[in-house]
Amino acid sequence: MQDASQARMPLIGDQFPDLHVNTTHGEMDLPDEYAGEWFVLFSHPGDFTPVCTTEFVSFQQHMDEFDELDVNLIGLSVDRVHSHIKWTEWIEDDMDTEITFPIIADETGSVAESLGMIHPGQGTSTVRSVFIVDPDGILRLLLYYPKEIGRNMDEIVRSVRALVTADDEDVATPANWPNNDMHGDKVLLRPPGDVSAADARREEADAEGYEYHDWWFTLREP
């Protein structure tokens, strides 16, 4: 197993590092715990902080959408399990929201360090990181937010949905998909890889009713 203290910060396209973690749902080995499934790991600077509290409530409120996509959620901060439990109890009592996803307790900061969640100039607490990891344990998307800005949950759900669609249909998605201003929820065909395929793209588009602009820019319904 990889030594977290010696690990290089994972980048998009990297295998998510092997990590043994302690959580509010017990001990877990990542990414093996979610083998064959998508998961979103997100960090927060600390328990009992206002912005993080609103984020946890929002993640939970979007749980049906994550469940629909077969996506698991797991949080992380450098606080202890006891603090996590007390904080989530407060959220349930005061915000009427039961937090059902696990939260990693990283008291030493070793997990956060290995994942690049602690940035120079930000002290010893984690920045707001989001890691989207695919069923093969590959890091597919990485987001960072400063401590003072709450995450956009709709964008995280949208990103997972776009990645799942891209994988399942071998396509790409345009800006703001599935609500692109010009193309709606249509998806982009991957550009042909050779001259003959490029020449055949218009004929293919005409036969299938695709939205054809050029051989390298063609859309279809998802």
Side-chain angles (χ1 to χ4, degrees):
M1 180 174 293
Q2 187 176 9
D3 180 356
S5 65
Q6 300 298 318
R8 176 179 69 83
M9 184 183 78
L11 302 175
I12 292 174
D14 286 349
Q15 183 74 36
F16 192 85
D18 293 332
L19 298 170
H20 183 76
V21 296
N22 187 29
T23 82
T24 51
H25 290 193
E27 295 184 356
M28 295 182 179
D29 290 309
L30 298 176
D32 291 348
E33 180 74 23
Y34 302 117
E37 302 175 355
W38 291 84
F39 71 90
V40 175
L41 188 153
F42 58 95
S43 64
H44 56 284
D47 298 344
F48 298 100
T49 53
V51 176
C52 297
T53 301
T54 64
E55 290 180 323
F56 266 53
V57 171
S58 188
F59 268 120
Q60 189 65 50
Q61 290 174 337
H62 284 77
M63 187 61 75
D64 287 347
E65 294 172 86
F66 287 114
D67 286 344
E68 179 186 349
L69 293 166
D70 294 323
V71 176
N72 303 279
L73 297 179
I74 182 167
L76 178 148
S77 87
V78 294
D79 286 311
R80 303 172 63 190
V81 165
H82 301 90
S83 177
H84 292 343
I85 293 173
K86 187 62 179 178
W87 182 39
T88 55
E89 286 177 349
W90 186 93
I91 292 173
E92 183 172 5
D93 291 342
D94 200 84
M95 301 290 179
D96 196 28
T97 302
E98 179 186 4
I99 303 302
T100 60
F101 50 82
I103 310 168
I104 296 170
D106 186 27
E107 294 179 59
T108 66
S110 60
V111 176
E113 285 279 4
S114 71
L115 295 176
M117 291 175 166
I118 298 178
H119 288 188
Q122 294 295 314
T124 58
S125 61
T126 57
V127 295
R128 302 183 197 285
S129 306
V130 179
F131 291 83
I132 299 179
V133 182
D134 72 15
D136 295 321
I138 303 299
L139 178 59
R140 298 293 297 277
L141 188 146
L142 176 59
L143 298 169
Y144 285 119
Y145 294 78
K147 295 178 183 179
E148 61 270 26
I149 298 176
R151 281 168 273 225
N152 186 321
M153 303 306 158
D154 290 332
E155 171 58 15
I156 296 172
V157 173
R158 186 197 78 90
S159 296
V160 176
R161 182 172 286 115
L163 286 167
V164 171
T165 299
D167 284 3
D168 289 349
E169 303 187 23
D170 193 28
V171 295
T173 59
N176 299 319
W177 183 87
N179 298 303
N180 181 271
D181 292 337
M182 293 183 65
H183 311 293
D185 68 347
K186 290 181 180 178
V187 294
L188 289 156
L189 276 64
R190 298 190 185 278
D194 54 49
V195 172
S196 61
D199 291 342
R201 176 55 61 86
R202 179 187 286 275
E203 183 177 338
E204 175 192 10
D206 289 343
E208 299 294 338
Y210 295 159
E211 181 182 331
Y212 178 87
H213 296 268
D214 208 330
W215 59 265
W216 58 273
F217 194 96
T218 304
L219 304 99
R220 66 167 175 80
E221 298 292 340

